[in-house]
């Protein structure tokens, strides 16, 4: 049963009991209606308490039901709320913790509301690309005022219940036993004559509602970008202000129905579930025991090592930071301090907190000091010989059971693990630069990595607020292996007729934060050059455009050398198209006998994005990633793929794999077509009319 019903001293207690978060799916909604009717027909009951079991009052509508028949099957949430609101016996909501989305809307339909302090109150629908669709845009402004309500609805951010004490939302914020207090409250109001107050009957008071709504609209215009939902939130609130409750409610419903079908909402829901799904590893049960992590060590105090250390310090974990030379160690610690000072200047950290964080860092030059670390992360130079020295030394000093992690982005983790006598304790933790900022963490599972090590790393990733995605061992893991194919296409297109600014513009218009050439100039073109040199040796059969090598031969490594694919003025990161580079590109095309042609923006986007999709499909087939949403999470959190498109694999599903296959076959038949070996998975799924996500 999704809802429990009991009575106490003349009060009916209806308890939502639909773990994990009392989502308001069909059976829960039906249970609420049934409970109210039962209470109404029981003459001994004078009032009703509505509450939630477990960790939430309610996390809102059951998102998994969206766009299925259950979502619209009666009783809908609107019906359930109508029944609650229309009850002749007063209904008292008792909110002990989370009341979000439809959960808050349900509470707004009751006659009285009591909350425990610390309960999270939100209308977070906008984060899923929709708007509150069960009266939230109409009732919340009537409960807490127009400004506060609009802020909550447009941002989706949770507010603590105690901050809302004294508003029309809560009759009381109760310390101590909430249920007891709610029952006592219900008995009291149950003895009073009705009708009992309804939020819908209140007025929205504001001295200049129109002006404030316009102000909110201007604010949203700057940040909503490609998302329609924030605008609709404002429209719906405005409709209620101007035309009254019923018309506002009807308009809200209309907006909800249209938004829930948009690709943007689909993408955001995909990301919501994708993030949670990423933390689940198919053959590692959720009750796998984890190792205790109290002390962390990081080897290497460069940009990467320092950023990694900051993550743990921010989470309150002490970190021993090891370098080989005193000056490098001092520099590393000073950089960390400087980073924190920047945060203090922005007002986001107090000077005391800065000192507390710095005090958690123990710099050292000695491996002996790593003996008590539970987790040791190596962030040294990306060269197997260097890793060998580090891991052999770690094997000598690390305590039994310590997790030994490598931050390698390209090297074979199995070979690294083999440098130790404990390959089961070795795992990859691939952070992305800047490591203290970027959300993504690729967790690389070696051949021998034990399940409890994986479970521990996934848990600690959550603690340091990373989105962790498990990758098997292959060159480049999930993210970099795919990006290589994307870059490869970008370079071929230069050879065939495009210029860097055109390629960047096209893909940035598609929604990427930064095109491949601006990105490469930022990261340093020499990095890609070094990787390609290795590739030429390891995979002489693989066909690459040598156009980037020619650029590198002239020393144009990017922003750091004042020029790369673009020109840069000193102290300015603005990319200016370069005449010199343009001439070099045109000359290169001539030298390799490639005729230059006009390449459309559509072709640019298809070739770049489908290169990701094709490699992603191979990564899935090989089991490097266990599900398509994992690949999308890598691209959404680590590579600037536009969130409203949901990641490359969901985007491919939206385009349709049949169309993706046709495009790939078309490009495969053209010059440089040998780079397109279509993934069998795409062909198979397209033939079945399916997508990567079902
Ligand atoms: C809405 O209400 C629309 C209405 O306005 C109109 C309707 C007509 N549905 O996050 P966690 C699952 S839209 C289905 O790890 P926490 C989640 O997938 C809804 N499932 O826990 C996970 O499953 P699993 C508006 C849901 O303690 C498990 O619960 N509401 C829902 O860190 C645990 O989740 C929201 O947007 C749901 N609504 O945080 C709230 N919510 O274990 C979204 C959660 O299989 N939810 N699940 O991986 C949250 O923000 C957090 O989950 C919450 C708990 C704060 C509630």
């Amino acid at each position: 049963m999704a809802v429990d019903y009991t009575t106490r001293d003349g009060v009916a207690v209806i308890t939502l009991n639909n773990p994990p978060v009392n989502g308001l799916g069909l059976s829960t909604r039906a249970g609420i209606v049934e409970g109210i009717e039962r209470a109404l027909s029981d003459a001994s009951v004078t009032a009703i308490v509505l509450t939630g079991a477990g960790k939430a009052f309610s996390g809102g509508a059951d998102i998994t039901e969206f766009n299925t028949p259950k979502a619209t099957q009666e009783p809908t949430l609107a019906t359930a709320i109508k029944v609650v609101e229309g009850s002749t016996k007063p209904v008292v909501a008792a909110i002990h913790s989370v009341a979000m989305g439809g959960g808050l809307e349900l509470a707004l339909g009751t006659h009285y509301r009591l909350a425990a302090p610390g309960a999270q109150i939100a209308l977070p629908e906008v984060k899923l690309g929709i708007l509150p669709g069960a009266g939230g845009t109409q009732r919340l402004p009537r409960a807490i005022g127009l400004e506060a309500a609009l802020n909550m609805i447009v941002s989706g951010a949770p507010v603590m219940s105690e901050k809302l004490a004294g508003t029309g939302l809560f009759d009381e914020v109760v310390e101590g036993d909430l249920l007891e207090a709610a029952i006592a409250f219900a008995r009291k109001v149950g003895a009073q004559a009705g009708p009992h107050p309804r939020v819908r009957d209140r007025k929205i008071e504001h001295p200049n509602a129109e002006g404030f709504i316009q102000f909110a609209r201007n604010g949203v215009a700057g940040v909503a970008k490609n998302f329609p939902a924030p605008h609709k939130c404002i429209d719906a609130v405005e409709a209620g202000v101007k035309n009254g409750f019923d018309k506002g409610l009807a308009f809200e419903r209309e907006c909800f129905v249209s938004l829930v079908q948009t690709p943007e909402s689909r993408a955001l829901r995909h990301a919501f579930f994708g993030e949670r799904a990423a933390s689940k590893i198919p053959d590692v049960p959720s009750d796998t025991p984890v190792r205790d992590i109290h002390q962390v060590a990081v080897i290497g105090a460069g940009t990467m090592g320092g950023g990694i250390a900051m993550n743990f310090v921010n989470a309150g974990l002490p970190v021993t930071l090891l370098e080989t030379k005193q000056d490098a160690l001092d520099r590393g610690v000073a950089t960390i301090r400087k980073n924190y000072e920047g945060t203090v200047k922005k007002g986001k950290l107090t000077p005391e907190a800065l000192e507390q964080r710095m005090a958690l860092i123990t710099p050292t030059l000695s491996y002996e000091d790593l003996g008590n670390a539970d987790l040791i992360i190596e962030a040294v130079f990306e060269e197997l010989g260097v890793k060998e020295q580090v891991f052999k030394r770690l094997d000598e000093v690390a305590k039994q059971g310590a997790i030994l992690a490598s931050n390698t982005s390209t090297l074979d983790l199995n070979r690294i693990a083999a440098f130790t006598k404990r390959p089961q304790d070795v795992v990859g933790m691939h952070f992305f630069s800047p490591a203290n900022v970027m959300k993504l963490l690729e967790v690389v599972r070696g051949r021998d990595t034990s399940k409890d090590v994986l479970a521990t790393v996934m848990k600690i990733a959550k603690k340091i607020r990373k989105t962790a995605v498990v990758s098997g061992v292959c060159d480049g893991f999930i993210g970099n292996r795919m990006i290589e194919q994307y870059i490869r296409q970008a370079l071929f297109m230069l050879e065939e007729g495009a210029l860097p600014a055109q390629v960047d513009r096209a893909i940035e218009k598609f929604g990427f934060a930064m095109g491949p050439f601006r990105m490469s100039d930022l990261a340093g073109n020499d990095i890609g050059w070094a990787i390609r040199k290795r590739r030429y040796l390891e995979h002489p059969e693989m066909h690459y455009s040598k156009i980037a090598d020619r650029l590198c031969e002239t020393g144009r490594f990017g922003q750091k050398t004042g020029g790369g694919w673009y020109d840069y003025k000193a102290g300015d990161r603005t990319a200016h198209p370069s005449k010199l580079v343009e001439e070099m590109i045109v000359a290169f095309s001539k030298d390799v006998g490639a005729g230059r042609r006009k390449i459309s923006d559509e072709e640019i986007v298809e070739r770049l994005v489908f290169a990701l999709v094709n490699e992603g499909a191979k990564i899935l087939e090989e089991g490097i990633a266990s599900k398509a949403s994992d690949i999308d999470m890598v691209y959404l959190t680590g590579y600037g793929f536009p969130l409203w498109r949901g990641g490359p694999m969901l985007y491919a599903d939206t385009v349709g794999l049949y169309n993706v296959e046709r495009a790939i076959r078309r490009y495969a038949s053209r010059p440089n077509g040998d780079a397109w070996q279509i993934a069998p998975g795409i062909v198979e799924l397209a033939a079945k009319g399916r997508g990567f996500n079902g």
Side-chain angles (χ1 to χ4, degrees):
M1 255 316 252
V3 174
D4 300 330
Y5 182 95
T6 53
T7 51
R8 280 237 334 249
D9 307 333
V11 174
V13 179
I14 299 174
T15 308
L16 311 184
N17 191 358
N18 181 22
V21 298
N22 297 327
L24 297 164
L26 180 60
S27 57
T28 316
R29 301 189 308 257
I32 294 168
V33 173
E34 233 171 78
I36 298 284
E37 281 172 351
R38 190 164 159 193
L40 289 177
S41 62
D42 183 344
S44 70
V45 166
T46 59
I48 302 158
V49 168
L50 183 60
T51 189
K55 68 175 174 181
F57 172 77
S58 169
D62 183 342
I63 310 166
T64 58
E65 276 188 2
F66 284 7
N67 298 330
T68 72
K70 275 190 177 176
T72 46
Q73 191 175 327
E74 291 285 2
T76 61
L77 187 53
T79 300
I81 292 172
K82 212 168 163 187
V83 169
V84 168
E85 198 171 49
S87 163
T88 46
K89 296 179 183 174
V91 184
V92 181
I95 299 171
H96 66 294
S97 77
V98 172
M100 287 190 178
L104 178 56
E105 292 175 300
L106 174 65
L108 281 162
T110 62
H111 306 102
Y112 305 96
R113 286 158 298 278
L114 268 53
Q120 292 182 64
I121 311 298
L123 287 178
E125 286 87 342
V126 72
K127 294 184 181 171
L128 300 170
I130 53 175
L131 87 176
T137 64
Q138 305 306 308
R139 288 193 182 88
L140 194 63
R142 285 172 167 81
I144 65 169
L146 178 65
E147 295 195 16
L150 207 47
N151 284 340
M152 280 180 72
I153 295 167
V154 170
S155 71
V159 178
M160 290 297 160
S161 51
E162 57 269 32
K163 286 230 164 103
L164 294 164
T167 69
L169 183 58
F170 295 127
D171 294 277
E172 278 175 31
V173 173
V174 180
E175 300 275 355
D177 194 325
L178 179 68
L179 188 59
E180 285 307 319
I183 291 172
F185 188 96
R187 266 219 308 280
K188 187 181 76 187
V189 290
Q192 294 165 6
H196 294 278
R198 303 186 306 177
V199 173
R200 58 175 288 150
D201 297 330
R202 294 186 200 163
K203 292 245 162 338
I204 302 176
E205 311 272 4
H206 196 282
N208 179 10
E210 214 168 295
F212 181 72
I213 286 171
Q214 189 52 44
F215 169 74
R217 213 182 276 292
N218 296 344
V220 157
V223 288
K225 294 213 173 99
N226 298 284
F227 292 104
H231 303 285
K232 292 287 181 198
C233 289
I234 298 180
D235 293 348
V237 171
E238 185 182 36
V241 170
K242 282 194 172 154
N243 308 324
F245 185 86
D246 288 321
K247 284 192 175 143
L249 197 65
F251 182 72
E252 175 198 89
R253 182 75 206 151
E254 220 176 89
C255 296
F256 179 85
V257 169
S258 78
L259 283 173
V260 81
Q261 290 167 36
T262 56
E264 291 82 6
S265 173
R266 185 180 179 208
L268 288 172
R269 280 179 275 135
H270 177 68
F272 176 85
F273 287 116
E275 170 139 26
R276 284 155 183 82
S279 64
K280 300 186 179 82
I281 312 168
D283 63 333
V284 179
S286 57
D287 59 356
T288 303
V290 291
R291 302 185 188 182
D292 287 334
I293 307 289
H294 299 298
Q295 174 71 46
V296 178
V298 176
I299 303 178
T303 314
M304 201 39 137
I308 294 173
M310 285 173 77
N311 284 308
F312 293 97
V313 167
N314 294 347
L317 282 162
V319 176
T320 306
L321 188 61
L322 182 136
E323 256 298 346
T324 46
K325 300 228 166 56
Q326 188 67 47
D327 59 339
L329 188 58
D330 293 343
R331 242 190 345 262
V333 173
T335 305
I336 295 177
R337 178 174 282 278
K338 214 169 126 221
N339 277 335
Y340 282 135
E341 281 168 357
T343 320
V344 170
K345 264 195 206 123
K346 283 185 205 147
K348 291 184 179 162
L349 191 73
T350 62
E352 298 76 52
L354 178 154
E355 293 308 331
Q356 277 163 12
R357 293 194 189 181
M358 291 309 294
L360 286 171
I361 300 174
T362 309
T364 182
L365 295 173
S366 166
Y367 270 86
E368 308 302 329
D369 289 341
L370 307 188
N372 64 347
D374 305 300
L375 166 67
I376 306 176
I377 304 169
E378 151 290 297
V380 301
F381 191 65
E382 190 73 345
E383 213 261 307
L384 202 62
V386 182
K387 307 279 187 196
E388 176 171 6
Q389 281 174 14
V390 169
F391 276 83
K392 284 197 163 147
R393 192 78 185 91
L394 280 183
D395 207 13
E396 290 163 6
V397 298
K399 68 178 179 190
Q400 277 312 307
I403 295 177
L404 310 181
S406 170
N407 178 51
T408 183
S409 56
T410 48
L411 300 173
D412 183 342
L413 188 81
N414 293 329
R415 290 182 70 186
I416 294 176
F419 297 138
T420 72
K421 292 185 212 63
R422 37 176 132 173
Q424 73 282 0
D425 294 337
V426 178
V427 66
M429 288 177 79
H430 179 208
F431 288 85
F432 288 71
S433 191
N436 53 317
V437 177
M438 295 293 287
K439 283 281 287 172
L440 177 62
L441 175 67
E442 273 184 331
V443 174
V444 184
R445 179 179 193 168
R447 192 179 39 232
D448 300 313
T449 308
S450 75
K451 290 184 181 177
D452 66 328
V453 165
L454 275 173
T456 308
V457 170
M458 296 310 275
K459 185 172 172 211
I460 200 92
K462 206 166 186 184
K463 182 157 188 177
I464 61 171
R465 309 171 82 129
K466 297 289 176 199
T467 301
V469 177
V470 175
S471 169
V473 175
C474 68
D475 201 335
F477 312 125
I478 297 172
N480 284 345
R481 175 169 156 185
M482 286 166 65
I483 209 75
E484 188 175 344
Q485 297 306 322
Y486 164 101
I487 304 273
R488 214 171 151 209
Q489 286 301 321
L491 297 177
F492 280 140
M493 284 190 275
L494 293 190
E495 199 178 292
E496 294 166 28
L499 290 173
Q502 188 204 352
V503 174
D504 283 350
R505 218 175 21 243
I507 199 71
E508 285 165 16
K509 214 164 126 210
F510 173 82
F512 265 82
M514 213 185 263
F517 296 107
R518 285 211 298 141
M519 175 58 91
S520 189
D521 273 359
L522 177 68
N525 296 318
D526 48 332
I527 296 176
W529 197 21
I531 295 174
R532 285 193 304 279
K533 281 180 187 163
R534 183 157 65 84
R535 287 280 184 283
Y536 300 153
L537 293 175
E538 289 171 359
H539 297 283
E541 76 292 351
M542 203 152 152
H543 174 193
Y544 277 91
S545 169
K546 298 272 173 20
I547 200 162
D549 302 353
R550 186 169 294 184
L551 181 85
C552 289
E553 281 155 15
T554 68
R556 293 183 68 102
F557 291 160
Q559 288 187 14
K560 62 185 171 190
T561 59
W565 293 107
Y566 296 92
D567 291 335
Y568 299 91
K569 296 196 179 106
D572 183 1
R573 290 170 181 272
T574 315
H576 301 280
S578 162
K579 200 88 212 116
L580 197 91
V581 172
E582 185 178 333
E583 282 165 16
M584 185 213 85
I585 291 171
V586 173
F588 183 90
S589 300
K590 203 163 161 212
D591 293 351
V592 296
R596 292 184 69 76
R597 67 183 168 89
K598 187 173 169 0
I599 298 183
S600 69
D601 285 2
E602 189 192 356
E603 174 173 345
I604 292 172
V605 169
E606 281 193 348
R607 285 176 67 175
L608 294 181
V609 178
F610 293 167
L612 294 176
V613 172
N614 197 37
E615 198 62 26
K618 291 177 188 175
I619 281 171
L620 270 180
E621 275 157 44
E622 292 168 27
I624 298 294
S626 61
K627 46 201 169 308
S629 63
D630 281 2
I631 297 176
D632 286 337
M633 290 320 295
V634 166
Y635 267 76
L636 292 176
T637 56
Y639 289 81
F641 199 96
L643 178 59
W644 73 91
R645 299 195 189 272
M649 309 314 268
L650 186 77
Y651 176 70
D653 286 354
T654 311
V655 172
L657 292 190
Y658 172 81
N659 296 319
V660 173
E661 179 184 348
R662 274 176 52 235
I664 291 180
R665 291 203 188 281
R666 192 166 65 243
Y667 295 124
S669 68
R670 294 191 186 166
N672 297 321
D674 56 333
W676 293 102
Q677 311 290 329
I678 193 160
I682 293 182
V683 181
E684 218 172 277
L685 288 169
K688 290 184 191 147
R690 288 184 41 209
F692 293 115
N693 294 282

